[in-house]
Amino acid sequence: MAMGSVQESLKAEAPGSESQPSAAQGAVARVPAAQATAEHVTAVHQQGFDSLGPTVHSTVVASGREVNFIDEGDAGWQPLLFLGGAGTTVRAFGLLEFARSLREQLQVRVLSVERNGLGQTPFNPTVGFAEYSADVWSLLDSLGIDKVSVVAISGGGPYAAQLAAAHPGRVRSLHLACAFSEYLDGPGARYDVAAVAADPVAWWKFPADSPVHRIPGFDDSVVEEATRGVFARGRDVAPEGLVQAFDLYSTVPLPELGAVHAPAFLYWGRADSTVPLAHLKTWRSALPNVIEERIYDGEGHDVQYRHWDQILADVAHLGGVLVVNDGGNTILATPGRAQEILDSGGSLGLAAWG
């Protein structure tokens, strides 16, 4: 199935030469008011505002706590519960909307709930993994959502585990992309929280050779997300949410996941030094139904962006298709056909990756 894009162009009737735009006027022809008769009127298709990114909603859940959340997509689409990396806000999902066209074609609805003390959510010392999990499931109840696909990247891993353990029968599928599991007493497992809070932009910075730099606007959006995570409620507000998150990462082991029989997908870069492959092995041991391990040679801690297209396809088709670039066309192909395309010089992912 070839992927394409729909483009709309707004064209105005060409006025007479006397009303051609000047350089100062720009590209839109201007008609003097005295000449603005019906034949000079051009209909504009836009009636509402275009979104500037995920819209943050607020509601009170069963616990009595107010939660901030996003809900992107139609109510009848496949719901995906998204858990971003450590220190990220509910709007971090916007960094993945470079594939919005694919997401909408696959009819995937994305929900995400902001974590304690991050972004615009005030810090509550009584809210840990269990309380956050309860609030998320309460929100889903209020939205009439029973089963949901859970997607976690990086530091979202432990939260995903707690959510799945709380209601394993409500997890349709589980997708973990270079996701932290539990403290393994190895390289890259701990961070200097004070340094992260002091300069979150530097902490977010991707290597110069990362493919994410090819996404238009990505680098600027990273700066916005990094600063929002720590400073959204003011620069003098202590980063208690960030401190708590890293404390939970280093002290709380994974819950028992033996009852989570939903199909699980693991996505990893073999060269990931931030959350190394040892964490994939931990997930593999903890989950009873890992059906796909997508390990990418030479790739690091940006697999969640470079292969977000495949994660979306796995949510929609549960591993039934691969996203491949066939001569500049994005194809959702069966694994066998995808391998033929790759053998013939194609590549993984959206054609935009090249």
Side-chain angles (χ1 to χ4, degrees), residues 55-71 90 109 111-114 120-122 131-132 134-145:
T55 300
V56 180
H57 309 277
S58 295
T59 191
V60 176
V61 293
S63 66
R65 290 184 286 267
E66 184 176 30
V67 299
N68 294 315
F69 70 100
I70 65 169
D71 185 356
V90 74
R109 172 188 181 185
L111 303 107
S112 187
V113 180
E114 194 158 75
Q120 294 174 291
T121 302
E131 292 76 17
Y132 174 78
D135 286 350
V136 171
W137 286 116
S138 176
L139 173 67
L140 295 178
D141 287 341
S142 70
L143 295 173
I145 296 173

Side-chain angles (χ1 to χ4, degrees), residues 131-193:
E131 292 76 17
Y132 174 78
S133 175
D135 286 350
V136 171
W137 286 116
S138 176
L139 173 67
L140 295 178
D141 287 341
S142 70
L143 295 173
I145 296 173
D146 182 20
K147 285 200 168 187
V148 66
S149 290
V150 178
V151 175
I153 66 175
S154 195
Y159 294 89
Q162 297 289 335
L163 283 158
H167 290 284
R170 297 181 65 178
V171 178
R172 172 179 175 266
S173 59
L174 180 62
H175 308 258
L176 303 168
C178 50
F180 185 88
S181 57
E182 59 187 6
Y183 180 56
L184 304 179
D185 197 25
R190 289 186 181 273
Y191 293 94
D192 184 340
V193 180

Side-chain angles (χ1 to χ4, degrees), residues 82-141:
F82 176 75
L83 296 148
T88 60
T89 77
V90 74
R91 278 178 57 89
F93 173 69
L95 291 169
L96 294 159
E97 283 288 75
F98 59 85
R100 183 188 294 115
S101 296
L102 174 63
R103 177 177 68 80
E104 292 178 345
Q105 178 173 340
L106 294 172
Q107 298 188 346
V108 174
R109 172 188 181 185
V110 175
L111 303 107
S112 187
V113 180
E114 194 158 75
R115 297 192 291 262
N116 186 35
L118 300 174
Q120 294 174 291
T121 302
F123 178 69
N124 183 338
T126 69
V127 175
F129 280 144
E131 292 76 17
Y132 174 78
S133 175
D135 286 350
V136 171
W137 286 116
S138 176
L139 173 67
L140 295 178
D141 287 341

